[in-house]
Amino acid sequence: MLATSVVTAEMLLLAADKLGAETVLIEVARTRWDLQEAQLLLVERLDHASARRVAESWGYVGHELRTALIDAAVRDIPQDLEEGVASDTRRKAERDAWMAKVEAWHDDIWALLSAESAKRMWPELIARGADHDSTGLIVNFLLSRAKELTDETLLACLKSAFADDAPEADPDPAPDLRGWEAWLELERIADIVSRHPRALLLHGVVLRPRVAALTATAVAHSREKGISKWHWSHFEPLAAVCTTPEVLDEVAGLVSTAVRPSWQRGEGPDPEWATGRTKAADALAMNLLLPSAALARIAPLLSPAAAARFVLHPDEQVRKAAEEIVAQAIAKKQSQRHGAETSRKEPERRSVPADDVLAESGDPRAELAAFLPLKGPATYKRQVAEAIAASRFADADLLRQLPAAVTLGSTAQASKVALLLQRELGDNADAWEALKAKLGRLTSNATKSLSTLIDEALDSGPRA
């Protein structure tokens, strides 16, 4: 029926009542190009998703029709989004579903805007003015999603989004709200500048003072309410776009003197809060317009990576703070490396318990015997041998196994050693002479055991 020439615009609208505007429009696109007025009327009945499907189903969408499709998608806020908000008070599943619907709506709009035939229309869409229903959202999409914009288009978007004659914000209803709105607006501007670095150059006469004013409001809010560990991330976009030295100095002062808010303080330090503060200081330090005096205040808070940039800074206070941070980081790194090597090569070794501890055990001698034969580095073996030789629970058998230099040098074991030698050598004069000769050559660090020394002395002459 639609292919016949007798079909009028009124008939198309009646057909749309039965079949749906999307179905009728797709069919008309294939058969009738002469019903432009009716097509535009049908487009007004589309939602964002059907507008995208209609545009994608047609091989070619005329200029006027594509403008109508874009306006239909932008104008049509899904009903289930009008009331909803992605609030922390909603359950996660509900929040995720709400955000998915928002994302789908935005994707449909961008599909219409980013088509090759639509890109040529961007200046015209922006030029319709901020009073047009669709302009604000279209401008936001271009600033937040477009990869490249010409200088003319970018400036037109910036002038629309940040007009130099914008009315002042309501001075009073909610100071807390004003503070958070300032932080959110700073993040928005930082995102735009990050995507379009020319923004500050093209529209700096409006953006720079606006950023300064927003920063002042945000800083005042943070001074009053405190900065929790979740709020430090706001300072990074601020530092990326603020170009007023006096305002940056205020921000540095806030960062350098900030303390954890009373409502967040718990027992002991909070590593997350300290890390967030360091990231904020690092971001500020990277701003080339930050005054040296302000940099000096936040220098002790910098991370080692950021501080390394300032070890040759002309300001002595900044330079010394940076050098100290870097030196501490190097020392910590070396200590960790040394600790790792030590734990890998030298496992932790037990020390010999004191006699009062040994006395409380069931078998003090067995506790000492567990350290024999001596094992480990020379220094450790020497310490164990001296500790055993000093213990009153060491018997003759244990003393035989210790280095002769340690055993014979122990005044605490002199009587036990004398009885041991008397029992072993008896009246063997040759053995005594051999032992005497060997002791003359024995050094204090010698590791030869007393047992070995006695055996060698006995082997030097006839046995008794």
Side-chain angles (χ1 to χ4, degrees), residues 205-278:
V205 66
V206 171
L207 286 178
R208 295 177 193 277
R210 176 166 296 195
V211 167
L214 290 169
T215 301
T217 301
V219 167
H221 175 262
S222 294
R223 284 193 188 279
E224 180 182 356
K225 300 298 180 181
I227 306 171
S228 73
K229 60 185 176 184
W230 303 287
H231 299 154
W232 279 119
S233 59
H234 295 311
F235 285 79
E236 296 179 48
L238 179 158
V241 295
C242 188
T243 58
T244 308
E246 297 81 8
V247 176
L248 287 169
D249 185 72
E250 284 289 321
V251 179
L254 173 63
V255 172
S256 63
T257 58
V259 295
R260 287 165 59 195
S262 57
W263 52 267
Q264 194 194 356
R265 291 176 193 168
E267 296 182 0
D270 185 346
E272 288 186 61
W273 191 89
T275 299
R277 187 188 193 189
T278 292

Side-chain angles (χ1 to χ4, degrees), residues 143 149-159 162 164 192-193 196-208:
L143 290 175
L149 295 172
T150 64
D151 286 354
E152 293 76 13
T153 302
L154 176 57
L155 180 57
C157 286
L158 293 171
K159 286 183 175 181
F162 307 100
D164 54 4
I192 292 172
V193 172
H196 308 286
R198 295 164 294 152
L200 284 176
L201 178 64
L202 293 173
H203 201 47
V205 66
V206 171
L207 286 178
R208 295 177 193 277

Side-chain angles (χ1 to χ4, degrees), residues 268-321:
D270 185 346
E272 288 186 61
W273 191 89
T275 299
R277 187 188 193 189
T278 292
K279 289 182 177 179
D282 285 355
L284 278 173
M286 295 303 107
N287 190 314
L288 298 179
L289 297 174
L290 181 72
S292 292
L295 177 60
R297 286 202 297 274
I298 63 171
L301 305 174
L302 297 177
S303 67
R309 296 171 175 261
F310 301 103
V311 292
L312 298 178
H313 196 274
D315 185 281
E316 183 179 5
Q317 190 174 351
V318 173
R319 185 172 63 254
K320 286 186 176 180

Side-chain angles (χ1 to χ4, degrees), residues 25-189:
L25 268 173
I26 291 175
E27 186 63 28
V28 167
R30 294 191 303 167
T31 59
R32 300 290 298 274
W33 290 89
D34 58 330
L35 298 173
Q36 183 77 14
E37 182 180 353
Q39 293 176 11
L40 294 175
L41 291 174
L42 289 173
V43 167
E44 293 181 1
R45 300 187 182 188
L46 301 179
D47 63 12
H48 61 93
S50 57
R52 175 178 181 175
R53 288 192 294 268
V54 167
E56 291 177 345
S57 67
W58 289 0
Y60 169 77
V61 180
H63 180 91
E64 189 174 3
L65 189 59
R66 180 168 289 280
T67 301
L69 288 170
I70 292 172
D71 285 341
V74 173
R75 179 178 61 243
D76 176 62
I77 300 176
Q79 293 182 356
D80 52 357
L81 299 183
E82 291 181 352
E83 300 290 333
V85 290
S87 166
D88 289 338
T89 60
R90 297 169 68 93
R91 290 197 300 264
K92 184 178 185 302
E94 294 176 344
R95 211 163 52 241
D96 290 346
W98 188 88
M99 290 301 298
K101 292 175 183 177
V102 173
E103 191 66 23
W105 175 39
H106 288 177
D107 287 345
D108 288 334
I109 296 173
W110 183 240
L112 291 165
L113 275 174
S114 59
E116 285 301 320
S117 57
K119 290 181 179 179
R120 297 188 296 271
M121 300 165 52
W122 288 352
E124 176 188 335
L125 294 172
I126 300 167
R128 293 186 299 180
D131 293 336
H132 192 279
D133 292 342
S134 304
T135 303
L137 196 53
I138 290 173
V139 166
N140 285 339
F141 270 103
L142 295 180
L143 290 175
S144 63
R145 291 205 179 192
K147 292 182 179 179
E148 292 186 8
L149 295 172
T150 64
D151 286 354
E152 293 76 13
T153 302
L154 176 57
L155 180 57
C157 286
L158 293 171
K159 286 183 175 181
S160 177
F162 307 100
D164 54 4
D165 57 349
E168 293 293 329
D170 192 349
D172 182 61
D176 287 352
L177 184 60
R178 288 206 312 274
W180 284 116
E181 286 177 344
W183 283 118
L184 293 175
E185 184 69 359
L186 283 168
E187 289 183 1
R188 177 189 177 218
I189 294 174

